[in-house]
């Protein structure tokens, strides 16, 4: 299992790094999906297969497919990759790199000074424990999450609608779903 | 994981056995479907290659392998190549959790049902990316349709199974089968069964829900630009999908391997083939709906039905203690 | 189970998070920004899972489920906005939004 | 019977609600609702009184707890009705007189636009006043106290379209508020030191915890006295009452003569234990009463406005009650309160009949000879005047005032001087009220009578005239050999007054003196204002006479003094501080935040990535600080 973890971690890091340097959105998306799948594998090694399944079903399966859907609706041509290349200049990496290094320093310091706690709890929490926690102490959280999702639903519905009303002739630019 | 050598060998045999069986079933279905369609449409179907045309899949395979492996120059090459592989890989991986018999399954995951849902949700990418990478407007429209259809139907495919999970009290497929010793879940979960069947047809985009590849409007939908073995992979993936859904219907609602007299694995295959037959019968008899009708059916009929089923089931379980 | 040191998991979460952060800061394409945000969310979820695993508590997984719900809502609204912005500006440049006033 | 008590205050409130909500649509029916609710309340009050007298509850105290008002940290004032003989007397006075005045108003206010509004306010007033007198704890009493203050404000300013009426209302409100503030502080003080506001518990506690004459009861009594002074228009807070005559006449009769202004008297009588323990303050009560009665009686002598005469007269008569309270003659004070309610209401209502008969004329020098034109009003007014002037033997005022003067005489401290002030006041009272009678009802008619009083005006007048005569017979002096029923009735509430070594002969002598004095007053009035008015005019023309007349007319210059000493400096300060020095601090804060706002708004570039970068930077800094601070 250790080996699996380190392999998945390596895949996750590399694919994630590739996400942010890609010129083509779909390729970036594929790397992102790969990153998420490796994260799911890591979850399994961390004793959380339930969440790993959710990660794949919801993150990789539903959220990412939304991205694919939107990309297909936008149907960006080949010129967008050139535009990306133009936007990505070497100098832009400096600031984020400094920030990242600062954070790295923080993390290393933290890990250095914090006492080493080794060993894990004997039993990993399964779906049953998660469910009981969700509908026990976290019930309010579940309710809030459902309200949030409802708000997201209403919000995206509204946004999607108003486009058509304001720009009737451009509404067809999205293509597919109307015919 | 301290496993003894014989155990490991047994495990490997199961893995490769399942792989081989599934691939041959998928291949065999090419012949079965055409023969059955012929039977229901009062004609012969393939009957020249071998006795009853039973070697027809072999001939097709030779043809497909021999074709030129051609990628359109305007296509996004890596994605174009990746897409057909995804569907085959995901469906084959999903078979890992199917319990063919009490002791025959590749992996006995305690979240097996979620594992199946996860992989089936990944199958969308095959269609969507294939259509997008082709850079062809019919293919793109087909891909859009496919992804919208599959996201929609995935929602209540998952919901319809939750009733089964509630009754069995587990995500483990083996436990679900064991829970049906007294009564097949098709009885208490009849609506769940109906929803799952319809969603399964939509997930595998088989007729009558084959709008992503509707020949009459979209040439061939998302795989318009595909040929040779890449097309063959889509084809095989579809048959594998049918087999998977049939196997799972048998597992979830018809007691899996349970049955008198005959060995468990035989019972399992009998049930699975019955539902494969149902799939083909559906193709032979039902007309294709319009796309908006399909989506409307999903969100306005199936989803409320699935939710109601869930609520009623939960209520009864609570009431019964 | 696994004996992966907790520090390694946290370093991994940190690396993923920073990658996402850098992505947000570097990219101008709205879709890339959204994806980078997803990376960051996923990384923080990883940290939660790891902590939950450490103590054998379900709370980490619960938090991850909340993050999932949040991400779903965020992406649906975010992508609707991306579509809207694209129709408005004919471009996915995030800096185009600075033209908006009021 | 007694359990019906809650209905007594509830009915007027119900009437108020009905009138406030639906009054506009009621039309003439409003009067029926307003009068009927108070009338029913009076009937219930009589029933309760019958029950109370026929079968007295244990210890002659009946309490009815309706519900808990507040319950917080040991502070638990309930809506608690408390009925003993004192509050019973007050309830009877309020409801009966209130009913008669409502009946009178039904005709008097008929032509007015705000007919239903008037009755709504009046009902609210009666309800509040009943809460005040029935309250079992001081907080509830304070609620009623403020309620009647509010109604007083609303009713003085009833004709709010004229600015001077509004000014009078505000003046009444503000001046009484000074006293109310003192009372509120007194409540805090009492609660802080005695831990309860329940009146009976408080009195027991005070007797236990405090020593008579120590600072605690003195402070408490002084603060309560402050409230009483404001409400009862005693020195130095008396200036609002003459101006309060801007309200409709029934209001003056009900609020500013019969009930509300006597609330101070009631309050002091109610807390008599504390006052007994505070001899200095109690003596101050007597002195204030004596001074007030003299000062305002002198002012009443020179007024031209018929209602202002009566207003000053009211202040003066309440001065008598304070005098009685100050010398410990509690039951005498309440006795006078009751008789005064009858005859002063009668006088006001009679004056109201005259005023409306002369189409709103208030100036007495434009009246005259009304004796023949308005005989009913004349006879009733005369009865009231006789009672006020305490004409011997037949009037209620004679008995109540006589009792007060006798008590003052008996007082151990400056008894003679207080008696002398009282007797001088009695002379002045007799003079000014008969001056009024002779000028208004005798001599030549000067203004035509346009309206004769109808039955709804006449009935209350006659009823009150009757009460003004017989009201005094309940408590006759000892030398008549009749039992002093009223004092004995109140015995359960009040401690027995300190009996000086005086004999019935002394009382007889004193009563004779006061009888002579009041008759002399009548004669003086007759001589100067009817038989030989030229003398009085002559006197008024001389320089000291003119100055004195002017001085008295202005109510001893209190308004002028307050204007110069308090109002003007305050106005000057408000003008000088128009830009509000304190406000500068806040406007500086606002300016500073605006400055930073403009600075920060520069950072609003609209570039999302810039925001994200700054956000990340901030997070990094925060985390670094948190990490290093560990």
């Amino acid at each position: 299992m250790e080996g699996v973890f380190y392999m998945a971690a390596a895949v996750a890091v590399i694919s994630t790094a590739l996400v942010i340097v890609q010129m083509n959105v779909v390729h970036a998306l594929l790397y992102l999906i790969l990153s998420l799948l490796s994260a799911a594998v890591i979850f399994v090694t961390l004793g959380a297969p339930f969440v790993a399944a959710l990660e794949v079903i919801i993150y990789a399966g539903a959220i990412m497919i939304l991205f694919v859907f939107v990309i297909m609706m936008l149907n960006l041509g080949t010129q967008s990759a050139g535009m990306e290349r133009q936007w990505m200049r070497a100098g832009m990496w400096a600031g984020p790199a400094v920030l990242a290094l600062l954070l790295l320093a923080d993390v290393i310091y933290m890990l250095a000074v914090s006492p080493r706690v080794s060993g894990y709890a004997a039993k990993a929490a399964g779906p049953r424990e998660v469910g009981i926690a969700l509908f026990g102490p976290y019930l309010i959280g579940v309710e809030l999450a459902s309200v949030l999702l409802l708000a997201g639903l209403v919000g995206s519905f509204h946004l999607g609608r108003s486009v058509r009303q304001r720009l009737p002739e451009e509404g067809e630019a999205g293509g597919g779903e109307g015919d | 994981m301290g496993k003894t050598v014989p155990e490991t060998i047994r495990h490997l045999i199961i893995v490769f056995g399942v792989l081989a069986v599934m691939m041959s079933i998928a291949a065999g279905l090419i012949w079965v479907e055409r023969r059955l369609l012929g039977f229901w449409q009062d004609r012969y179907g393939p009957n020249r290659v071998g006795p009853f045309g039973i070697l027809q899949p072999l001939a097709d395979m030779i043809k497909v392998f021999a074709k030129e492996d051609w990628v359109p120059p305007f296509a996004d090459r890596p994605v174009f190549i990746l897409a057909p592989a995804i569907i085959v890989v995901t469906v084959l991986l999903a078979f890992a959790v199917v319990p063919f018999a009490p002791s025959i399954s590749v992996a006995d995951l305690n979240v097996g049902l979620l594992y199946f849902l996860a992989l089936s949700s990944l199958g969308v990418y095959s269609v969507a990316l294939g259509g997008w990478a082709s850079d062809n407007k019919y293919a793109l429209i087909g891909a859009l349709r496919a992804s919208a259809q599959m996201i929609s139907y995935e929602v209540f495919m998952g919901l319809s199974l939750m009733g089964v999970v509630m009754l069995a009290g587990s995500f483990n497929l083996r436990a679900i089968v064991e829970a049906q010793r007294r009564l097949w879940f098709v009885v208490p979960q009849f609506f769940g069964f109906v929803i799952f069947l319809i969603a399964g047809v939509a997930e595998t985009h088989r007729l009558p829900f084959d709008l992503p590849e509707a020949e009459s409007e979209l040439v061939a939908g998302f795989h318009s630009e595909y040929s040779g073995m890449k097309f063959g992979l889509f084809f095989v993936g579809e048959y594998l999908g049918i087999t998977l859904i049939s196997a799972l219907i048998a597992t979830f609602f018809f007691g899996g391997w349970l049955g008198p007299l005959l060995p468990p694995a035989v019972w399992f295959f009998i049930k699975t083939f019955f539902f494969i037959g149902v799939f083909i019968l559906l193709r032979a008899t039902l007309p294709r709906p319009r796309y908006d009708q399909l989506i409307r059916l999903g969100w306005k009929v199936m989803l409320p039905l699935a939710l109601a089923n869930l609520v009623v089931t939960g209520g009864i379980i609570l009431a019964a203690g | 189970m696994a004996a992966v040191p907790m520090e390694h998991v946290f370093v991994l979460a940190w690396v993923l998070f920073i990658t996402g952060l850098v992505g947000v800061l570097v990219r101008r394409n709205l879709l890339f920004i959204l994806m980078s945000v997803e990376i960051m969310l996923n990384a923080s979820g990883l940290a939660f899972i790891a902590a939950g695993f450490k103590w054998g508590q379900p709370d980490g997984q619960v938090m991850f489920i909340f993050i999932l719900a949040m991400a779903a809502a965020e992406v649906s609204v975010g992508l609707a906005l991306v579509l809207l912005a694209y129709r408005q500006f004919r471009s996915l440049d995030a800096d185009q939004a600075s033209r908006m006033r009021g | 019977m007694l359990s019906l008590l809650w209905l007594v205050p509830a009915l007027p409130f119900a009437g108020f609600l009905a009138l406030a909500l639906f009054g506009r649509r009621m039309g003439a029916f409003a009067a029926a609702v307003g009068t009927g609710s108070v009338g029913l309340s009076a009937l219930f009050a009589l029933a309760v009184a019958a029950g109370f007298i026929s079968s007295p509850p244990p210890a002659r105290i009946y309490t009815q707890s309706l519900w808990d008002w507040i319950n917080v940290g040991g502070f638990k004032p309930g809506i608690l009705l408390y009925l003993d003989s004192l509050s019973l007397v007050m309830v009877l006075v309020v409801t009966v007189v209130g009913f008669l005045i409502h009946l009178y108003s039904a005709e008097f206010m008929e032509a007015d636009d705000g007919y239903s509004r008037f009755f709504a306010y009046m009902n609210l007033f009666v309800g509040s006043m009943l809460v005040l007198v029935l309250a079992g704890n001081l907080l509830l009493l304070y609620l009623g106290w403020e309620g009647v203050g509010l109604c007083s404000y609303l009713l003085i300013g009833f004709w709010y379209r004229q600015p001077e009426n509004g000014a009078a209302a505000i003046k009444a409100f503000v001046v009484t508020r000074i006293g109310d503030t003192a009372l509120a502080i007194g409540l805090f003080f009492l609660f802080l030191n005695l831990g309860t506001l329940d009146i009976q518990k408080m009195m027991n506690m005070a007797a236990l915890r405090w020593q008579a004459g120590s600072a605690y009861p003195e402070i408490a009594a002084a603060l309560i006295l402050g409230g009483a002074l404001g409400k009862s228009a005693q020195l130095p807070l008396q200036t609002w009452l003459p101006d309060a005559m801007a309200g409709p006449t029934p209001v003056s009769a009900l609020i500013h003569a019969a009930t509300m202004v006597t609330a101070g008297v009631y309050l002091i009588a109610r807390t008599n234990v504390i006052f007994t323990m505070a001899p200095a303050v109690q003596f101050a009560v007597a002195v204030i009463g004596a001074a007030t009665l003299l000062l305002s009686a002198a002012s009443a002598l020179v007024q031209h406005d018929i209602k202002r005469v009566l207003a000053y007269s009211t202040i003066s008569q309440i001065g008598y009650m304070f005098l009685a309270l100050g010398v410990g003659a509690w039951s005498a004070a309440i006795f006078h309160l009751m008789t005064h309610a009858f005859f002063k209401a009668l006088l006001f209502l009679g004056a109201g009949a005259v005023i409306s008969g002369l189409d709103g004329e208030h100036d007495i020098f434009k009246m005259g000879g009304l004796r023949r034109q308005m005989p009913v009003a004349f006879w009733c007014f005369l009865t009231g005047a006789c009672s006020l002037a305490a004409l011997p033997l037949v009037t209620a005022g004679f008995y109540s005032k006589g009792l007060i003067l006798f008590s003052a005489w008996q007082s151990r401290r400056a008894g003679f001087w207080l008696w002398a002030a009282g007797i001088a006041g009695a002379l002045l009272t007799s003079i000014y009220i008969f001056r009024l009678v002779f000028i208004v009802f005798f001599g030549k008619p000067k203004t035509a009578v346009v309206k004769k009083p109808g039955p709804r005006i006449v009935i209350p007048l006659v009823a009150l005239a009757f009460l003004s005569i017989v009201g005094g017979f309940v408590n006759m002096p000892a030398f008549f050999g009749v039992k002093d029923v009223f004092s004995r009735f109140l015995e359960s509430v009040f401690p027995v007054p300190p009996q000086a070594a005086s004999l019935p002969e002394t009382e007889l002598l004193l009563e004779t003196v006061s009888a002579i004095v009041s008759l002399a007053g009548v004669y003086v009035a007759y001589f100067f204002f009817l038989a030989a008015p030229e003398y009085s005019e002559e006197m008024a023309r001389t320089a000291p006479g003119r100055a004195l007349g002017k001085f008295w007319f202005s109510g001893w210059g209190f308004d002028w003094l307050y204007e110069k000493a308090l109002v003007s400096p305050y106005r000057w300060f408000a003008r000088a501080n128009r830009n509000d020095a304190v406000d500068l601090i806040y406007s500086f804060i606002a300016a500073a935040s605006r400055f930073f706002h403009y600075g920060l708004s520069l950072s609003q570039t609209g570039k999302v990535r810039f925001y994200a970068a700054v956000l990340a930077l901030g997070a990094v800094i925060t985390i670094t600080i948190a990490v290093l601070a560990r």
Side-chain angles (χ1 to χ4, degrees), chain D residues 61-102:
Chain D
I61 290 168
Y62 175 73
T63 57
Q64 189 170 24
S65 182
L66 297 181
W67 66 84
D68 274 350
W69 185 3
I70 308 168
N71 189 350
V72 109
F75 180 55
K76 192 179 167 186
I79 302 290
L80 177 73
L81 299 184
Y82 177 85
L83 186 74
D84 60 3
S85 42
L86 171 62
S87 42
L88 183 63
V89 170
M90 293 300 291
V91 166
L92 286 176
V93 168
V94 170
T95 53
V96 172
V97 176
F99 166 67
L100 291 173
I101 293 172
H102 270 75

Side-chain angles (χ1 to χ4, degrees), chain D residues 561-605:
Chain D
L561 184 68
Y562 290 163
E563 172 72 28
K564 290 286 173 220
L566 299 171
V567 180
S568 298
Y570 185 77
R571 284 215 187 101
W572 172 85
F573 178 74
R575 249 198 315 281
N577 193 25
R578 185 175 294 155
N579 289 330
D580 199 351
V582 180
D583 217 29
L584 283 179
I585 301 167
Y586 302 105
S587 36
F588 171 75
I589 292 172
S593 73
R594 202 173 297 129
F595 173 77
F596 286 117
H597 158 71
Y598 285 126
L600 283 175
S601 71
L602 290 179
S603 71
Q604 271 201 321
T605 57

Side-chain angles (χ1 to χ4, degrees), chain C residues 21 24-28 33 94-95 97-98 101, chain D residues 604-610 612-614 616 620:
Chain C
L21 178 63
V24 170
L25 297 183
V26 166
R27 303 306 298 241
R28 276 172 78 170
I33 291 177
D95 293 355
S98 67
R101 292 276 174 226
Chain D
Q604 271 201 321
T605 57
K607 295 199 192 313
V608 179
R609 293 181 309 141
F610 173 75
V614 175
V620 168

Side-chain angles (χ1 to χ4, degrees), chain D residues 138-343:
Chain D
L138 281 184
L139 195 69
L140 189 59
L141 185 146
Y142 194 70
L143 179 76
W145 186 271
E146 293 297 336
V148 294
L150 169 73
C151 293
S152 168
Y153 166 80
L154 291 171
L155 285 164
I156 293 168
F158 183 74
W159 291 310
Y160 55 86
R161 288 204 172 81
Q162 276 139 317
E164 61 269 24
N165 292 350
I170 289 170
K171 184 176 178 184
F173 201 63
V174 171
V175 173
T176 51
R177 176 110 329 230
I178 297 168
D180 294 350
T181 311
L183 179 58
I185 296 170
L187 295 194
F188 295 144
F189 182 83
L190 286 169
F191 182 71
L192 201 64
N193 287 293
L194 298 176
T196 176
L197 282 179
D198 188 282
I199 294 172
Q200 279 338 97
K201 279 188 208 148
M202 208 169 75
M203 295 304 146
N204 297 338
M205 201 81 90
L208 276 175
R209 280 205 195 161
W210 290 345
Q211 246 180 339
S214 67
Y216 282 110
E218 300 280 4
I219 292 170
L223 288 168
I224 294 173
L225 174 62
L229 290 183
K231 208 53 123 191
S232 293
Q234 296 296 292
L235 275 178
L237 300 177
Q238 85 287 28
T239 58
W240 65 271
L241 189 58
D243 288 348
M245 295 302 125
T249 307
V251 171
S252 310
L254 180 61
I255 300 182
H256 304 126
T259 53
M260 185 188 87
V261 288
T262 59
V265 178
Y266 169 77
L267 178 66
I268 292 177
R270 183 46 90 201
T271 55
N272 62 71
V273 176
I274 290 174
F275 277 86
T276 314
M277 293 167 73
V281 176
Q282 201 186 6
F283 185 64
V285 174
V287 171
I288 287 171
T292 311
L293 80 90
L294 280 175
L295 259 53
S296 49
S299 287
L301 206 50
V302 296
Q303 300 297 321
H304 317 145
D305 185 324
I306 184 167
K307 283 182 70 181
R308 283 179 89 87
V309 174
L310 295 175
Y312 277 111
S313 161
T314 302
I315 300 175
S316 166
Q317 294 304 306
I318 296 169
Y320 273 109
M321 298 175 210
F322 269 61
L323 176 59
L325 295 171
V327 299
W330 314 107
S331 56
I334 298 302
F335 185 38
H336 194 57
L337 187 157
M338 183 180 80
T339 56
H340 173 255
F342 297 149
F343 62 69

Side-chain angles (χ1 to χ4, degrees), chain B residues 30-171:
Chain B
I30 298 174
W31 174 78
V32 171
E33 176 167 35
R34 289 170 74 180
R35 284 295 289 189
L36 278 177
L37 278 177
F39 172 70
W40 280 315
Q41 289 166 354
D42 207 6
R43 58 183 172 83
Y44 283 115
N47 56 0
R48 303 282 158 163
V49 191
F52 305 107
I54 202 158
L55 294 179
Q56 182 71 33
L58 207 65
D60 283 353
M61 223 181 284
I62 292 166
K63 183 187 86 177
V64 160
F65 274 111
K67 271 192 173 177
E68 185 192 358
D69 188 23
W70 185 73
V71 177
F74 45 80
D76 189 316
R77 199 179 161 87
V79 181
F80 189 84
I81 294 170
L82 181 66
I86 292 175
I87 191 155
V88 178
V89 170
T90 55
V91 175
L92 280 178
L93 279 175
F95 273 111
V97 288
V98 176
F100 297 93
S103 57
I104 305 176
S105 70
V106 177
D108 189 22
L109 289 183
N110 65 349
V111 289
L113 196 148
L114 289 173
Y115 173 85
F116 152 69
L117 286 175
L119 285 167
S120 82
S121 73
L122 286 181
V124 192
Y125 286 107
S126 173
V127 180
L129 293 174
W132 179 82
S134 303
D135 204 4
N136 167 317
K137 74 175 160 192
Y138 294 121
L140 185 65
I141 291 171
L144 269 170
R145 284 184 174 190
S147 39
Q149 172 180 333
M150 289 173 83
I151 310 180
S152 306
Y153 278 76
E154 211 166 83
V155 173
F156 41 84
M157 179 187 248
L159 283 177
S160 68
L161 291 181
M162 289 308 133
V164 171
V165 173
M166 272 196 256
L167 287 176
S170 171
F171 283 120

